Amino acid sequence: MYRLINHFFNISLVLLFVYLIIVIILYIFKNKINNKVSRIILLCPLFMAIVHYIYYYVPSDFQYNIFLIVYIYPILIIIWQLFKRFKKVFKVLFYMLMFFGMFGYILTYYVTLQMDNFHVLTRYRYTNSFNKTIEILKKEYVLNEHKKIDYNYLYDKYYSLVKQAEENNDEELYMKTMYEFSSNFKDGHFIFNIYDEQTKNNFYKQYYNKDYGFGSILLSDGSVAAILVDKDSEVYKKGLRDGMIITKKDNVDIKEVMNDMVIPQKNYPVLEDELLFKSFYLFATGNEKVDVTFINKDDKEKNIEVSSISDKNNKPEKLWNKVMYYNERLNNFDTKVINKNTGYMVINHENTDIFKGLIGYGIDDASYYMHELLDKKIGNLVKQGISTLILDLRNNNGGYLVETEAIASMFTKDSYFVLKEAKYNSNLFNKSYLKGNGKYSNLKLVVLVNSNTISSGDILTYLLKKNENTIVIGFTNSNNSSQSIGGLILLSGGKSSIVYPTYKALDENDNIFIDPDYNRDATLKLNVRINLNKENIKEIVYSNDDYDYLLEYVVNNYLEDEN
């Protein structure tokens, strides 16, 4: 409930509330207020909207996307007043305005749900914006102590670059610096955003702007192997083949190169998983020529120099798609039968119903509809004789805790404490409990995850993993990020922002819930991690786009007795 209270004090919601009051006053006292007073009252919403627009001005679509109703509603009020002489039309328009206003209030509440702490630094100079950003994060970021964020180090590392960008009016350098500054927080909920799509696409290309004719991937034994070697490339002619181990780039140890890299992806808290993704980009950027040291077919170290053949490189994206596997044709809660004993369900997110999810923040149980949905989906599989259910949570981007708990409750008869949550500056905790429904607690669960299983996806993995009959499998751990987002900093220029958690989630022992500390070891560990080796990377990478290696591996290796 305290989260609802925080949002009610959002300035946009206050304005909409005032608008509604003004509409009611103008309607009730339509014959008692003289024209002069009426005009003054009428212009108040427009004046407030103009002030709001000026204060929150952002040179991108961001402002209109989240505040559109705040700006449109005052104009509708003025149009409504033009029909004051037509009583029936005036009355109909009044009810329409009330409906639109209340709907707008709910919608604005939803889109500002993650913006309790909204900071507008758009008019600040680059250096002032940077200093203010550090000041804000020192105060509001909930994992400062847990992750041991060293703001003095970050200031020393990035301030000179921000100053250089300011002196040269170099927007690209400023964005690059703030993006790389953000990458130090190692939190899946700490996000750097660019609002213009073209600017975003051009910005991230700098991290994969060279193609030397091959890609690379980190194997489970810690070595880096070549993959996607083009047969007509210079590097192929000089002896590099798929599966050969690469030891150095430009005469620097390959692991050292990986450690210092920044990649165009979200923050990944777990170090071993981040290194895998970094390995995809090892040879996606650099100079026009690069020295590559590898172990050749004679088991000897060989050094070659090769030139870039293109300023575009799609190999990291291909590796990413193959390892992470995302089937866009699968909708949330799609099901199928794998074999006579095994069913499959995909869960992409836990925000199936926006309004029931919002209600769930304010009352204890708004999960009945989720139970009905799951009962229908899983019940149909059970009727077909399944005893094992594969729950695919890969690329699950989260949602509402109330839905997450409702899903997990179907697979356990137990009831227990889940977490407690409060704002960074408060000890007023909102406690969450899971109430076991247990209808399908007899099913064996195999849960598939990857590093894009985040937020409520992480929490769902955690809750399911508590069951004895559950096994969690993947190439990578789930993201391991569960602190709730509540802060947004619009950076200098207004084309980019930083989003960050301001709500601390704690377990029953008052420890940080799920998120790893500064050591970056997974707290929500896999039961089974699928190894990447010289043999299976070729099968994974060169298979057709519909081939799901992880699912096939599970069916062939963990369900053999059920085929």
Side-chain angles (χ1 to χ4, degrees):
M1 182 63 74
Y2 70 92
R3 296 199 69 176
L4 282 172
I5 294 169
N6 285 333
H7 294 303
F8 286 155
F9 286 97
N10 181 290
I11 189 169
S12 303
L13 298 180
V14 171
L15 285 186
L16 282 171
F17 182 75
V18 172
Y19 294 168
L20 285 169
I21 296 299
I22 288 174
V23 168
I24 293 170
I25 290 172
L26 287 173
Y27 181 75
I28 294 175
F29 299 102
K30 54 182 177 291
N31 297 322
K32 297 181 180 180
I33 302 175
N34 63 50
N35 289 335
K36 186 176 181 181
V37 174
S38 177
R39 290 191 192 100
I40 293 172
I41 296 174
L42 187 63
L43 291 175
C44 283
L46 186 61
F47 174 75
M48 288 187 286
I50 291 170
V51 172
H52 185 285
Y53 178 83
I54 293 171
Y55 180 75
Y56 285 109
Y57 174 71
V58 179
S60 69
D61 293 336
F62 171 84
Q63 187 176 19
Y64 300 107
N65 291 339
I66 67 171
F67 298 135
L68 185 61
I69 293 174
V70 175
Y71 303 142
I72 286 179
Y73 202 71
I75 298 172
L76 295 178
I77 294 174
I78 293 173
I79 294 173
W80 169 56
Q81 286 293 303
L82 295 177
F83 290 89
K84 193 173 180 179
R85 295 179 181 178
F86 306 95
K87 292 183 178 180
K88 289 185 178 180
V89 176
F90 187 74
K91 186 175 182 179
V92 170
L93 290 177
F94 167 73
Y95 287 115
M96 290 178 64
L97 272 176
M98 290 301 297
F99 173 80
F100 183 72
M102 287 185 285
F103 175 77
Y105 191 93
I106 294 170
L107 186 62
T108 303
Y109 165 75
Y110 174 68
V111 299
T112 59
L113 188 63
Q114 297 178 334
M115 298 193 320
D116 290 278
N117 296 72
F118 189 18
H119 304 280
V120 182
L121 309 182
T122 55
R123 292 181 178 81
Y124 284 59
R125 295 170 65 86
Y126 290 161
T127 51
N128 293 339
S129 176
F130 179 71
N131 290 335
K132 187 66 175 177
T133 297
I134 287 182
E135 179 185 325
I136 292 167
L137 293 174
K138 276 183 179 181
K139 178 183 177 183
E140 298 179 4
Y141 178 52
V142 293
L143 296 178
N144 280 324
E145 184 177 345
H146 188 63
K147 292 184 178 290
K148 292 190 176 179
I149 304 298
D150 188 344
Y151 287 100
N152 291 330
Y153 165 78
L154 295 176
Y155 180 87
D156 291 341
K157 183 174 182 178
Y158 294 107
Y159 180 79
S160 60
L161 292 170
V162 173
K163 187 176 181 181
Q164 180 183 337
E166 180 176 293
E167 291 172 346
N168 298 325
N169 196 26
D170 190 338
E171 183 180 67
E172 184 177 341
L173 175 59
Y174 173 69
M175 283 192 179
K176 183 175 188 292
T177 304
M178 295 309 297
Y179 171 67
E180 297 189 358
F181 164 82
S182 302
S183 71
N184 286 270
F185 287 79
K186 310 305 179 187
D187 179 347
H189 280 156
F190 197 104
I191 305 165
F192 177 82
N193 291 313
I194 297 175
Y195 295 112
D196 180 73
E197 283 300 317
Q198 185 174 354
T199 302
K200 182 191 294 186
N201 293 334
N202 291 336
F203 174 81
Y204 286 119
K205 281 179 183 178
Q206 64 188 300
Y207 295 99
Y208 46 94
N209 57 6
K210 293 290 184 291
D211 186 350
Y212 302 105
F214 69 101
S216 53
I217 186 170
L218 180 67
L219 305 181
S220 296
D221 64 6
S223 60
V224 174
I227 193 68
L228 295 173
V229 181
D230 299 331
K231 292 185 177 180
D232 58 351
S233 66
E234 179 186 5
V235 72
Y236 186 90
K237 293 173 184 177
K238 292 185 176 180
L240 186 65
R241 300 290 185 272
D242 283 343
M244 288 185 175
I245 302 302
I246 302 170
T247 58
K248 295 178 183 178
K249 178 183 178 181
D250 289 328
N251 296 313
V252 179
D253 184 85
I254 202 70
K255 293 180 181 178
E256 186 178 336
V257 176
M258 269 198 301
N259 286 333
D260 294 336
M261 287 177 63
V262 175
I263 60 174
Q265 297 292 346
K266 66 177 67 172
N267 276 320
Y268 291 99
V270 180
L271 179 59
E272 62 179 332
D273 299 332
E274 182 190 51
L275 289 175
L276 172 62
F277 304 133
K278 280 186 173 184
S279 72
F280 301 164
Y281 292 87
L282 274 166
F283 293 91
T285 188
N287 300 317
E288 284 302 316
K289 293 187 177 183
V290 64
D291 283 330
V292 184
T293 306
F294 62 97
I295 308 300
N296 66 12
K297 63 180 181 179
D298 299 320
D299 204 28
K300 293 181 180 179
E301 196 169 65
K302 182 177 180 180
N303 178 265
I304 59 174
E305 182 185 70
V306 294
S307 300
S308 173
I309 57 178
S310 175
D311 61 358
K312 297 179 181 179
N313 190 339
N314 65 354
K315 293 179 175 64
E317 183 181 2
K318 184 169 185 177
L319 291 168
W320 178 273
N321 291 337
K322 290 294 184 179
V323 172
M324 300 296 273
Y325 186 78
Y326 176 68
N327 188 339
E328 60 184 11
R329 294 192 299 275
L330 292 176
N331 297 314
N332 206 21
F333 297 107
D334 274 357
T335 60
K336 65 180 178 180
V337 173
I338 299 290
N339 56 46
K340 63 180 182 180
N341 295 321
T342 306
Y344 171 91
M345 173 184 282
V346 61
I347 304 180
N348 295 328
H349 54 80
E350 293 81 31
N351 57 352
T352 306
D353 190 307
I354 290 174
F355 296 105
K356 288 188 174 73
L358 290 176
I359 292 169
Y361 277 104
I363 61 176
D364 290 334
D365 188 7
S367 56
Y368 60 91
Y369 81 101
M370 179 56 70
H371 289 158
E372 291 178 354
L373 173 63
L374 290 177
D375 201 21
K376 180 180 178 181
K377 295 284 186 177
I378 301 174
N380 184 51
L381 294 175
V382 170
K383 287 178 182 177
Q384 298 179 65
I386 72 160
S387 58
T388 297
L389 178 63
I390 298 174
L391 281 178
D392 193 344
L393 305 187
R394 288 174 295 178
N395 305 299
N396 181 304
N397 59 15
Y400 299 114
L401 182 58
V402 64
E403 290 196 11
T404 303
E405 292 169 348
I407 295 168
S409 72
M410 299 293 281
F411 303 102
T412 182
K413 295 179 180 179
D414 299 330
S415 296
Y416 52 82
F417 175 86
V418 177
L419 59 83
K420 60 181 182 179
E421 189 180 38
K423 204 168 181 180
Y424 68 93
N425 57 355
S426 172
N427 288 316
L428 178 62
F429 284 94
N430 185 39
K431 296 182 180 180
S432 296
Y433 296 87
L434 184 141
K435 300 176 182 179
N437 175 287
K439 184 161 187 179
Y440 300 108
S441 59
N442 61 320
L443 291 178
K444 176 183 177 182
L445 295 182
V446 180
V447 180
L448 309 184
V449 300
N450 62 21
S451 291
N452 278 352
T453 305
I454 189 171
S455 195
S456 287
D458 270 316
I459 297 173
L460 180 56
T461 304
Y462 167 85
L463 296 175
L464 295 172
K465 196 171 184 283
K466 291 172 75 73
N467 302 333
E468 292 182 358
N469 60 344
T470 299
I471 183 171
V472 181
I473 301 178
F475 288 117
T476 68
N477 300 283
S478 63
N479 189 276
N480 279 234
S481 296
S482 67
Q483 309 302 301
S484 292
I485 293 172
L488 186 148
I489 304 171
L490 281 174
L491 298 171
S492 180
K495 294 183 180 180
S496 58
S497 70
I498 291 173
V499 174
Y500 55 96
T502 59
Y503 287 88
K504 53 191 174 188
L506 306 179
D507 63 19
E508 56 190 357
N509 298 315
D510 288 341
N511 297 316
I512 291 293
F513 184 70
I514 293 181
D515 292 66
D517 63 14
Y518 58 93
N519 289 314
R520 302 187 64 196
D521 296 324
T523 57
L524 188 53
K525 295 180 182 292
L526 296 167
N527 295 114
V528 177
R529 189 182 187 100
I530 308 302
N531 288 329
L532 293 170
N533 53 54
K534 291 182 181 180
E535 288 70 39
N536 68 4
I537 58 170
K538 297 175 186 178
E539 181 182 354
I540 294 167
V541 172
Y542 290 111
S543 61
N544 63 57
D545 290 340
D546 292 330
Y547 181 68
D548 187 345
Y549 179 91
L550 180 59
L551 182 59
E552 291 297 321
Y553 183 92
V554 168
V555 171
N556 294 331
N557 291 277
Y558 288 90
L559 307 174
E560 285 182 351
D561 58 330
E562 300 183 11
N563 287 317

